[in-house]
Amino acid sequence: QVQLVESGGGKVQTGGSLSLSCAASGRISSINVMAWHRQAPGKQRELVAVISSSGNTNYGDRVKGRFTISRDNAKNTVYLQMNSLKPEDTAVYYCNVVLYGMGAPQDYWGQGTQVTVSS
């Protein structure tokens, strides 16, 4: 089993910055993908950013140029630096880890952390 513990988030005004972190513990394979998703009230969950174990990244169109995902493999931790925040970034942000190895990929989610951007 894998446990994900998120921290960070909170409230900020438009144009401000916040950072999130997510520490994974348990049986972590070396081949994995770590990501952040978000879900605003009444909307579907969407991908914010993803980073592979080799450091390749991909971002959702709405956050490109403003958010940066990074990871520390030694600590099994993924980070999300969010700059130039907008009210439409308000959502619950979820950490997600997908482990690849023998058998089917294993998908784990954090409990979510609230990010609120006021205008």
Side-chain angles (χ1 to χ4, degrees), residues 97-117:
V97 172
V98 182
L99 305 182
Y100 297 91
M102 300 295 292
Q106 300 175 56
D107 200 14
Y108 297 93
W109 292 84
Q111 78 281 4
T113 185
Q114 178 71 45
V115 171
T116 302
V117 184

Side-chain angles (χ1 to χ4, degrees), residues 47-105:
L47 174 68
V48 175
V50 59
I51 184 167
S52 70
S53 54
S54 60
N56 294 321
T57 59
N58 196 18
Y59 294 90
D61 288 340
R62 298 205 296 160
V63 306
K64 283 181 181 177
R66 299 187 297 121
F67 290 12
T68 302
I69 190 171
S70 61
R71 63 188 286 168
D72 184 333
N73 289 334
K75 296 180 179 180
N76 288 322
T77 299
V78 62
Y79 306 94
L80 184 69
Q81 178 63 41
M82 303 181 290
N83 298 328
S84 302
L85 283 161
K86 305 174 182 180
E88 50 264 44
D89 294 318
T90 296
V92 177
Y93 284 69
Y94 296 92
C95 174
N96 169 230
V97 172
V98 182
L99 305 182
Y100 297 91
M102 300 295 292

